[in-house]
Amino acid sequence: MAPTYSAGSLVTARGREWVVLPESEPDLLVLRPLGGSDDDIAAVFPAIEKVTGAEFAPPEPSDLGDQRAAGLLRTALRIGFRSGAGPFRSLAGIAVEPRAYQLVPLLMAVRQQTVRMLISDDVGIGKTIEAGLIASELLAQGEATGLAVLCSPALAEQWQQELRGKFGIDAELVLASTVSRLERGLDLGQSLFDKYPHVIVSTDFIKSTRHRDDFVRHCPDLVIVDEAHTCVAADDTSAGSQNQLRYELLRRVAQDETRHLLLVTATPHSGKESAFRNLLGLVKPELATVSLESKAGRTLLAQHFVARKRADVRQYLTKEDGLGDDSLAERTAFPSDRYFKDETYKLSPAYRALLDDAIAYASERVEAADSQGRREARIAWWSAIALLRSLVSSPRAAAQTLRTRSAAAVAASAEEADRLGAPLTSDSADSDALEGMDVAPGAETDTEATAENAGSRLAELADRAAQLEGVKHDLKLKALIKHLQALLADGHNPIVFCRYIPTAEYLAAHLANDPETKKRGPLGARTVVKAVTGTLSPQQRVERIEQLATEAGDDPAARRVLIATDCLSEGVNLQHHFDAVLHYDLAWNPTRHDQREGRVDRYGQKKDQVRVVTLYGGDNGIDGKVLEVLIKKHRQIKKDLGISVSVPDEMSTGVTDAIVEWLLVRGRQGEQQTLFDSDDFQQSFADLDKDWNSAADREKASRSRFAQRSIHPEEVAREVAAIRDALGGAGEIHTFVRESLGALNAVLRGDGDDFTAQVGGAPAGLRDALAPVVGPEAIEKDRPIPFRTDPAVARGEAALVRTDPVVGALAAHVLNAALDTQADGARPARRCGVITTDAVATRTTLLLVRYRFHLTLPSRRGEKQLVAEDARLLAFQGSPKNAVWLPPEEAAALLDATASENTDPHFGERTMTRILAQLPDASGHLEAYGDELAAELDASHRRVRSASGEIVRGLSVTAQKPADVLGAYVYLPATPAAPAPGPAATGAATSGSAASGSAASGSAASAGVSA
């Protein structure tokens, strides 16, 4: 007759461990994988499939390990945990090691019954990780069943990779390019958002009325909104604007008070107070109107709003944060600063003549169009801006623009002309506007009465522009080469940002080495140059960057230069491959410069200082003015506040329009006044200065007034200590990896915290386990695997954290080898050991015990039954029956004990056999300790959810019995104590069996092989 299994017990089937669910019957088991989700539930018929209790076989006393065996086995076991027993269910199963400060939003979230948060940490701090932690926790606890991420299409694939790679969440991309394929697989009447529980959705695609209603009706119960500041509108925004449409979508999504909503943005203030209030109103309606000057208003906001600068978290959990010591201090290596250098260039005579003639042409067309009507005037205006911007970008961009029809030329009205012309010629801070906006904008209009004459003039200008390519006439290119050579000589790997695709392709053609013709570029034979533009899909852009890094290789003398348009200014993080930015084309909105620089100036950047070079034309009439009025002002505000403050798009546009207007007037009338004397410019600059300073003041006030104070560092420290105690800290992982690889015959190089390992001589099982995570080629060619203490590692490197795939593969091999006494090759960890050491004065036994706990977690959807694991060290002196149990810290200290002399293996096996036979006498203590751990876990679950009584009502934690003794290790004193004379000595010898055992073991330890 098949055994029966009660609900909550663990069984082994189909090669993995499962939890038996309450729906099970004697002849049908309903199982959920240990550490898995409800999506993985399976039904098993015990009569057909083999099902056994998930228990370890007892340790084999003849399979003795050395002094490292216990510590390596313990760490390997804990690294493998995917169902931690602590209050954060997801932390054991995710593939990222969060920084301590990244736990703050998570702590805030678990105290809310419905999570509503605005996460506004500075660029590069890790807002995606913070949002992912909350999402994975809500899904793991059953508080959410589905997830939707709303973001720009340029960021969609990165979100998909982050969720899948770091949090194990598989999300489907819902974009304009994928929706037709996805809809073909739907049943009649089925919604896309019912079929796919986790989705990443293009905000611009879903905001249209055609798709919006379906999304709102079937929206998942957890929504993350990236770049949320672009999804709200100020009160004075027109109803048809893009921001207004997005805001209407989010307003309807937020109306469901039971829906979890995470808004993510580094710039919550777009420059308008009403837009900020509307953003807060999405989080909680009261926040849209409550006085944030009042204590009650600030207290309410603090529960839902977190906004920190790098300086706030660079050093965290220190005495300066109010802690008693620095034992948990965490220092995050952000770059200390950006080094700015503005470099100018002059136009060659031929280029100067071309620009003057083009300005004169544009001026004439604008003046002529003014008399033809408002539509024609706006078309001519956008064509003039396109012509001027492409001319100061590059000869190739100018030639293509001159030969291309203006996007605004097809407009039926002035308003449509603005809508079509503005995105291609301005630089909106809205990241949704980046895709497709790096094409040459076009200058032909077909609206002039003299269209044929205009066409011939444009063609003549285009031919002249094409003839100016190369360093002889294009002195901007010549200046670029000079400054790139300087950056490369100083050891930097720069990114060059351009405005237009033709410019990026032009630069790559003139800078790169050509292997086919053997032509050597001006940057040296060992410099790899590649261009990434909007002609590539987001996935192809990432592949091109990885290709560049691969071609450059690991040679310290090799250099990388990436030429990119603003398709890369958001979304792709480039800090692992690049450490300098060169602005080849000035953006007309300084926020775009900050976005470009933020791709490399972020957590994980190995250079302490990011170099930023801004190249501008000193005599082209545009660059110098934009730099002076917009770029430098933005830098100064960031320097004063420590964060960026976005300039309102309309204010920035007002200033650049005034610059263009002045240039065109100058082209018609000759230079009569300087730009700064122009009335239009003075008014536009005054409006910009006033609004920008006002936004900066509001941001400064909000950062100080609304600083995150709802979670005290002491609370974070307590949870960090508990997590490290349960799952292992960085020092333990470092020791485990070095000692395991060394014992497995890997070749280690590097005596510091970082090191490399070659595993060509390691057992085949380890090489097979590592091949999928480091690449088969790296294993076959025995390339060194770099191990880094900094968790932010580049591709091909391994981080010394428990969640790194390389560390996980190593731990799985070590654990499996320890459990399989017949495994081939070296086995660093063993389940038994007898060590003679000076670290003990009497015989001491260390047990590695696996505890399992049954958790009842109440949620909005009812109670959820879970099983979790924990591994603990327990130690006692004497025999198991009369054991003197040691405190936990003394038990852990035994892992550091070293053998002081050899132990005879036969004696060791007899000793181990005797101890294992007597272990049932210690079961009472093991069970009682399990009950203590269960009570501690219950208290910790209640503590982190203390703000909500509803969340903790019905919560319970119980320990499953019996516990599993995974390992047993006996430590013998090196020298027996000399017996004292007289009856007392006799009494001690006869009654103290532990002491006599110690004496015997000491005498037997004088001969034998090394343990």
Side-chain angles (χ1 to χ4, degrees):
M1 180 178 175
T4 58
Y5 299 99
S6 59
S9 59
L10 258 64
V11 297
T12 299
R14 302 179 183 177
R16 65 188 302 184
E17 292 187 342
W18 305 77
V19 181
V20 179
L21 298 181
E23 296 85 353
S24 299
E25 300 290 342
D27 58 344
L28 174 65
L29 296 180
V30 182
L31 308 175
R32 182 179 61 240
L34 182 63
S37 68
D38 288 346
D39 294 335
D40 303 317
I41 289 175
V44 173
F45 291 96
I48 299 175
E49 297 188 59
K50 183 179 179 181
V51 179
T52 59
E55 297 175 355
F56 286 110
E60 174 58 52
S62 61
D63 188 36
L64 299 178
D66 61 16
Q67 60 199 16
R68 302 170 301 180
L72 295 180
L73 182 58
R74 175 207 189 204
T75 303
L77 180 67
R78 300 207 299 181
I79 290 173
F81 282 164
R82 290 297 177 264
S83 56
F88 303 110
R89 289 283 302 161
S90 61
L91 291 188
I94 61 177
V96 63
E97 186 98 350
R99 311 297 289 168
Y101 68 79
Q102 292 174 330
L103 296 175
V104 170
L106 177 60
L107 283 166
M108 295 170 66
V110 296
R111 296 184 177 185
Q112 302 176 28
Q113 194 161 15
T114 299
V115 178
R116 293 290 180 103
M117 290 191 62
L118 174 56
I119 302 175
S120 297
D121 284 339
D122 197 6
V123 173
I125 281 181
K127 295 181 293 297
T128 302
I129 297 296
E130 292 169 346
L133 286 171
I134 296 173
S136 61
E137 188 64 27
L138 291 174
L139 292 168
Q141 291 184 8
E143 291 289 345
T145 58
L147 165 67
V149 177
L150 301 183
C151 63
S152 76
L155 303 178
E157 289 191 13
Q158 181 179 342
W159 266 101
Q160 185 184 48
Q161 292 165 3
E162 291 280 300
L163 290 176
R164 178 182 295 151
K166 291 185 169 70
F167 301 102
I169 300 172
D170 279 314
E172 197 71 43
L173 294 178
V174 182
L175 312 173
S177 58
T178 66
V179 69
S180 296
R181 172 181 58 82
L182 296 175
E183 287 178 339
R184 284 196 294 270
L186 298 179
D187 296 332
L188 185 64
Q190 185 181 29
S191 168
L192 193 66
F193 306 105
D194 285 335
K195 182 178 178 79
Y196 302 103
H198 307 320
V199 289
I200 298 166
V201 187
S202 162
T203 313
D204 263 12
F205 167 76
I206 208 67
K207 74 176 187 296
S208 67
T209 52
R210 177 188 168 199
H211 304 288
R212 181 180 65 196
D213 292 343
D214 181 53
F215 177 70
V216 171
R217 278 195 303 269
H218 302 277
C219 182
D221 48 7
L222 169 59
V223 175
I224 297 173
V225 184
D226 196 18
E227 301 296 332
H229 64 280
T230 68
C231 299
V232 292
D235 294 341
D236 57 356
T237 306
S238 62
S241 74
Q242 301 300 301
N243 281 30
Q244 185 64 40
L245 291 173
R246 297 182 202 131
Y247 178 51
E248 176 60 24
L249 167 67
L250 284 195
R251 193 184 60 78
R252 293 180 59 184
V253 167
Q255 280 178 340
D256 184 346
E257 295 180 355
T258 65
R259 178 170 290 122
H260 304 294
L261 182 62
L262 304 177
L263 305 181
V264 180
T265 174
T267 52
H269 277 290
S270 61
K272 292 192 175 181
E273 180 66 15
S274 61
F276 177 59
R277 285 306 193 122
N278 287 338
L279 187 65
L280 293 179
L282 293 172
V283 176
K284 199 172 184 67
E286 303 94 291
L287 289 173
T289 55
V290 71
S291 171
L292 299 179
E293 303 296 327
S294 67
K295 182 178 180 182
R298 292 197 297 271
T299 300
L300 178 64
L301 180 61
Q303 298 171 23
H304 303 275
F305 183 43
V306 57
R308 297 166 296 181
K309 299 181 292 187
R310 292 185 185 185
D312 299 327
V313 298
R314 194 184 299 276
Q315 296 193 49
Y316 191 56
L317 300 184
T318 65
K319 288 190 284 187
E320 286 73 17
D321 293 314
L323 274 64
D325 56 47
D326 289 340
S327 60
L328 293 173
E330 188 175 77
R331 290 163 179 82
T332 303
F334 296 113
S336 62
D337 201 2
R338 297 178 194 175
Y339 174 78
F340 292 101
K341 193 172 186 182
D342 302 325
E343 299 286 1
T344 188
Y345 67 92
K346 299 288 186 182
L347 296 171
S348 66
Y351 215 124
R352 172 83 265 170
L354 174 65
L355 181 61
D356 288 343
D357 289 348
I359 291 173
Y361 166 79
S363 180
E364 292 171 17
R365 298 275 64 82
V366 169
E367 185 175 29
D370 282 344
S371 63
Q372 297 173 9
R374 189 161 175 269
R375 168 186 170 274
E376 289 73 15
R378 297 310 294 168
I379 293 174
W381 173 257
W382 293 119
S383 300
I385 292 181
L387 179 54
L388 293 174
R389 291 210 67 179
S390 60
L391 269 164
V392 299
S393 178
S394 72
R396 189 170 297 183
Q400 189 162 327
T401 296
L402 287 159
R403 294 189 176 113
T404 305
R405 193 180 188 210
S406 169
V410 299
S413 65
E415 290 74 21
E416 187 179 4
D418 288 344
R419 183 171 59 81
L420 295 173
L424 289 173
T425 51
S426 61
D427 294 314
S428 168
D430 181 357
S431 62
D432 274 3
L434 291 178
E435 281 303 296
M437 294 302 122
D438 51 0
V439 297
E444 290 186 3
T445 62
D446 295 347
T447 61
E448 303 88 343
T450 56
E452 186 175 337
N453 178 49
S456 63
R457 287 184 66 183
L458 287 173
E460 184 262 334
L461 291 171
D463 290 341
R464 287 171 60 187
Q467 293 169 11
L468 298 179
E469 289 194 9
V471 295
K472 180 179 179 181
H473 296 295
D474 185 5
L475 300 185
K476 183 181 182 183
L477 172 62
K478 185 176 182 179
L480 171 68
I481 293 171
K482 170 188 169 185
H483 298 304
L484 283 178
Q485 288 172 337
L487 286 170
L488 296 171
D490 287 343
H492 289 280
N493 296 290
I495 303 176
V496 179
F497 275 106
C498 314
R499 180 63 177 84
Y500 298 117
I501 292 171
T503 300
E505 294 173 343
Y506 165 68
L507 296 184
H510 281 80
L511 296 177
N513 300 308
D514 189 340
E516 293 184 6
T517 64
K518 306 296 183 182
K519 176 197 165 201
R520 180 171 168 176
L523 302 181
R526 304 178 93 170
T527 298
V528 182
V529 180
K530 291 198 180 295
V532 172
T533 69
T535 59
L536 303 176
S537 71
Q539 183 60 37
Q540 288 172 323
R541 295 168 201 170
V542 174
E543 291 170 358
R544 177 72 58 86
I545 293 165
E546 293 297 337
Q547 181 186 357
L548 189 161
T550 301
E551 286 187 24
D554 299 325
D555 185 349
R559 291 288 177 266
R560 301 178 288 274
V561 176
L562 176 65
I563 315 293
T565 62
D566 284 316
C567 71
L568 282 189
S569 67
E570 279 291 293
V572 181
N573 296 332
L574 304 169
Q575 70 272 29
H576 297 305
H577 299 314
F578 305 96
D579 48 41
V581 170
L582 194 150
H583 299 288
Y584 190 71
D585 291 333
L586 291 186
W588 283 13
N589 188 316
T591 301
R592 182 62 53 79
H593 276 228
D594 202 47
Q595 291 169 341
R596 293 171 174 178
E597 294 157 14
R599 296 303 91 213
V600 298
D601 184 8
R602 57 196 307 112
Y603 173 56
Q605 174 57 254
K606 291 188 168 51
K607 292 273 188 185
D608 184 57
Q609 188 178 72
V610 171
R611 193 81 65 89
V612 178
V613 178
T614 304
L615 198 59
Y616 71 99
D619 58 350
N620 64 26
I622 297 176
D623 282 357
K625 314 301 186 296
V626 171
L627 179 70
E628 190 67 33
V629 176
L630 294 175
I631 308 299
K632 288 187 175 179
K633 169 91 172 173
H634 183 265
R635 287 181 196 161
Q636 188 60 47
I637 290 177
K638 179 163 187 175
K639 182 178 180 181
D640 293 342
L641 294 185
I643 53 166
S644 295
V645 176
S646 297
V647 56
D649 281 345
E650 60 271 27
M651 293 293 127
S652 176
T653 302
V655 170
T656 51
D657 282 357
I659 295 172
V660 173
E661 181 69 35
W662 170 76
L663 271 176
L664 296 179
V665 169
R666 189 180 71 167
R668 289 196 297 268
Q669 302 173 2
E671 188 165 358
Q672 298 175 346
Q673 61 177 351
T674 66
L675 169 67
F676 295 95
D677 291 333
S678 161
D679 291 339
D680 286 347
F681 176 81
Q682 286 190 344
Q683 183 60 51
S684 297
F685 180 70
D687 292 342
L688 170 80
D689 204 48
K690 178 183 175 184
D691 274 40
W692 209 351
N693 286 334
S694 177
D697 289 341
R698 284 195 302 272
E699 186 69 18
K700 183 177 181 180
S702 70
R703 290 278 167 169
S704 58
R705 197 183 308 137
F706 312 137
Q708 194 294 121
R709 294 192 180 93
S710 63
I711 303 293
H712 192 276
E714 284 185 358
E715 299 176 69
V716 182
R718 184 167 53 227
E719 302 311 326
V720 168
I723 292 167
R724 291 179 183 174
D725 187 43
L727 301 179
E732 178 184 337
I733 303 300
H734 187 279
T735 300
F736 169 79
V737 172
R738 282 202 79 121
E739 291 191 350
S740 295
L741 288 173
L744 289 165
N745 302 317
V747 178
L748 304 180
R749 291 185 174 88
D751 297 326
D753 291 336
D754 294 349
F755 58 92
T756 64
Q758 289 176 268
V759 296
L766 176 62
R767 299 198 305 274
D768 291 343
L770 292 177
V773 290
V774 301
E777 188 177 0
I779 298 298
E780 291 171 9
K781 296 185 177 180
D782 198 16
R783 291 176 180 162
I785 302 171
F787 287 87
R788 307 288 185 230
T789 53
D790 191 332
V793 292
R795 188 183 180 117
E797 297 179 337
L800 289 166
V801 296
R802 66 178 299 276
T803 54
D804 187 273
V806 177
V807 175
L810 174 63
H813 175 80
V814 170
L815 179 60
N816 291 336
L819 297 176
D820 182 5
T821 58
Q822 305 303 313
D824 294 331
R827 298 168 56 233
R830 306 287 180 95
R831 297 182 64 190
C832 295
V834 179
I835 301 100
T836 305
T837 176
D838 292 328
V840 297
T842 186
R843 189 182 69 188
T844 304
T845 303
L846 177 68
L847 303 178
L848 175 60
V849 183
R850 181 180 76 166
Y851 285 99
R852 291 181 296 213
F853 301 94
H854 295 276
L855 289 80
T856 301
L857 297 180
S859 71
R860 299 183 304 174
R861 304 178 183 279
E863 292 183 348
K864 186 168 186 179
Q865 305 291 330
L866 301 171
V867 174
E869 298 174 284
D870 198 358
R872 295 286 170 154
L873 294 170
L874 291 88
F876 62 87
Q877 293 175 341
S879 67
K881 186 174 183 179
N882 300 307
V884 177
W885 293 93
L886 302 181
E889 58 272 13
E890 292 186 24
L894 290 172
L895 296 179
D896 298 323
T898 57
S900 56
E901 55 186 86
N902 297 333
T903 303
D904 178 74
H906 299 293
F907 172 76
E909 182 177 344
R910 290 196 304 272
T911 301
M912 201 74 249
T913 302
R914 201 163 50 243
I915 288 292
L916 292 175
Q918 296 171 359
L919 272 187
D921 294 335
S923 60
H925 180 84
L926 299 184
E927 292 185 2
Y929 189 68
D931 292 336
E932 289 179 26
L933 292 177
E936 291 176 9
L937 288 170
D938 186 282
S940 67
H941 278 271
R942 294 176 186 275
R943 182 177 65 242
V944 300
R945 294 164 174 81
S946 60
S948 176
E950 290 296 321
I951 295 179
V952 298
R953 192 171 295 132
L955 187 152
S956 69
V957 183
T958 57
Q960 178 171 315
K961 299 171 184 176
D964 297 317
V965 177
L966 190 61
Y969 309 90
V970 178
Y971 295 83
L972 304 174
T975 304
T986 306
T990 55
S991 63
S993 58
S996 57
S998 296
S1001 64
S1003 60
S1006 58
V1009 297
S1010 172

